[in-house]
Amino acid sequence: WAHQLGPGSDRYFKGWRRPEVLAARLQAVADHCRSHGIALYLFLPPMHAEQRARLSDYGLDAEFDRYKEAMRALAPVFDYAVDGPLARDRANFTDPRHVTPEVAREIVGDIVAEIRAAERRGPDAPPAD
């Protein structure tokens, strides 16, 4: 835990650059899905609040917001990279970047249920509250 918040964060965030090649590849996937009628959903995984705070330490808050906006422009997003009880409780994580298997199963169940509910409502139905 301490390593990922300390030297691990330095290694990852200090020289961070926007991954232009990966972004272009993901755009190509989104374009392919759209042109072939394939439903694409994106998932932004949770991170512990202490890890999220490290983004601020490196001046990456605005970049993180741009990343989220870019993902939303491609497809519907299940955004779990938000502050809240899940992100603040260490018991939900094996380390600052990875949730426990139990939490992962719960998230997957929630996402599957939401997708199924949306499919039942149909493409022209208003979104659920």
Side-chain angles (χ1 to χ4, degrees):
W1 195 278
H3 177 78
Q4 283 197 16
L5 292 176
S9 289
D10 281 344
R11 188 172 56 248
Y12 187 74
F13 294 133
K14 201 170 192 174
W16 192 87
R17 303 281 187 270
R18 188 174 297 138
E20 300 293 343
V21 171
L22 291 176
R25 288 180 184 164
L26 187 54
Q27 179 67 58
V29 168
D31 292 344
H32 174 84
C33 289
R34 201 171 2 267
S35 68
H36 289 85
I38 300 168
L40 174 65
Y41 298 94
L42 300 174
F43 168 69
L44 305 181
M47 69 177 84
H48 190 270
E50 290 175 285
Q51 181 70 46
R52 175 65 180 87
R54 295 306 319 247
L55 291 172
S56 297
D57 295 343
Y58 292 92
L60 293 173
D61 287 320
E63 189 62 34
F64 189 62
D65 291 341
R66 279 190 291 274
Y67 156 72
K68 287 184 165 196
E69 289 171 22
M71 295 300 101
R72 284 189 211 98
L74 296 174
V77 173
F78 292 97
D79 185 0
Y80 283 79
V82 296
D83 186 34
L86 184 143
R88 288 187 219 117
D89 188 349
R90 265 191 175 202
N92 292 325
F93 294 81
T94 58
D95 62 53
R97 295 183 193 151
H98 300 97
V99 293
T100 64
E102 298 79 21
V103 171
R105 281 190 288 277
E106 186 177 322
I107 289 171
V108 168
D110 291 348
I111 290 171
V112 168
E114 195 167 329
I115 290 171
R116 287 182 178 157
E119 289 171 347
R120 284 192 298 277
R121 287 192 304 273
D124 297 324
D129 292 331

